Amino acid sequence: MSIIQTSTEAEATGRTAEIYAEDRQVLGYVPSHTRVLSVHPEALAAWKALQSTIAGSMGMRRFELVTLAAALGIGSRHCRLAHGNESLKFIGEEELVRIARDYRDAGLSEAEVAMMDFAQKLSTDSVAMTDADSLRLRDVGFGDREIVDIALAAAARNYLSRVLQALAVDVDLPPGLSQVLHDALLEPLGHNDAVAC
């Protein structure tokens, strides 16, 4: 549990109250990470703008696949659950369960696997990355802008996930997430318990 003092929805005022209301409207609840990051609402707004810009450039399916792979590399339960839930808007649950368990054996295209490999490597051993990692993306058909977008999406996920981990932010279980998908998202992280997060 984070030591950061946060406002309840009833206590929130100004920009923080607006941020809470936006999440309640879109998500149906105010996640723990929103509460903690709203301590600096301007930074949270900048983060949301960056994330939206990257996702808008590369398309939501690609953005969510890269995000899930980066979160896997980081070991982020926060982002695996939140973006697993978000991915349901763009990927059917059955396919998403297969992707969550092992994206290399989920029937994805070679290009999708390559970008997820890139995101996972960036998140686990970025210092070892070379031109060969980007060239693999080019070899499967990505152009320069797309390669930059993939790197930006993975690096942005590293930024947020590491902030949440560093501040010991509670892991939320998104309402309505099925137990099957919950378990599939956490299984590769070694957290396949059925306990709500």
Side-chain angles (χ1 to χ4, degrees):
M1 175 177 287
S2 182
I3 65 160
I4 304 300
Q5 300 277 327
T6 63
S7 302
T8 66
E9 286 183 77
E11 298 167 338
T13 61
R15 184 64 186 121
T16 299
E18 293 170 6
I19 291 168
Y20 284 13
E22 289 166 10
D23 273 10
R24 171 129 335 257
Q25 181 179 3
V26 172
L27 303 173
Y29 71 110
V30 180
S32 298
H33 72 267
T34 295
R35 294 177 193 281
V36 170
L37 297 177
S38 290
V39 169
H40 191 319
E42 298 83 7
L44 178 56
W47 157 253
K48 286 184 174 190
L50 174 63
Q51 180 176 249
S52 177
T53 299
I54 296 167
S57 178
M58 67 189 303
M60 291 307 300
R61 179 182 169 91
R62 284 185 181 174
F63 178 79
E64 293 299 342
L65 290 174
V66 167
T67 295
L68 288 171
L72 177 62
I74 301 161
S76 173
R77 298 176 81 206
H78 300 90
C79 295
R80 287 285 286 183
L81 290 171
H83 282 275
N85 189 56
E86 185 68 19
S87 294
L88 288 170
K89 296 176 184 173
F90 314 102
I91 303 168
E93 183 166 350
E94 185 177 314
E95 180 183 15
L96 189 55
V97 166
R98 289 194 317 272
I99 291 166
R101 287 189 173 135
D102 182 359
Y103 66 85
R104 291 181 186 98
D105 188 32
L108 296 176
S109 70
E110 183 181 5
E112 288 176 326
V113 171
M115 71 181 187
M116 292 182 80
D117 282 344
F118 183 96
Q120 188 171 11
K121 185 172 181 181
L122 182 151
S123 303
T124 56
D125 196 13
S126 62
V127 72
M129 296 187 84
T130 66
D131 285 344
D133 297 294
S134 296
L135 286 171
R136 179 173 179 224
L137 294 178
R138 180 169 286 151
D139 289 345
V140 296
F142 292 112
D144 288 349
R145 172 69 179 257
E146 293 168 311
I147 294 168
V148 170
D149 284 343
I150 292 165
L152 285 170
R157 184 55 38 203
N158 274 257
Y159 160 77
L160 187 67
S161 293
R162 293 183 193 286
V163 168
L164 300 181
Q165 290 169 334
L167 296 175
V169 174
D170 290 336
V171 177
D172 293 310
L173 180 62
L177 188 70
S178 76
Q179 191 65 49
V180 171
L181 182 54
H182 170 276
D183 292 347
L185 289 162
L186 298 187
E187 188 175 291
L189 299 177
H191 298 286
N192 62 346
D193 55 13
V195 178
C197 300

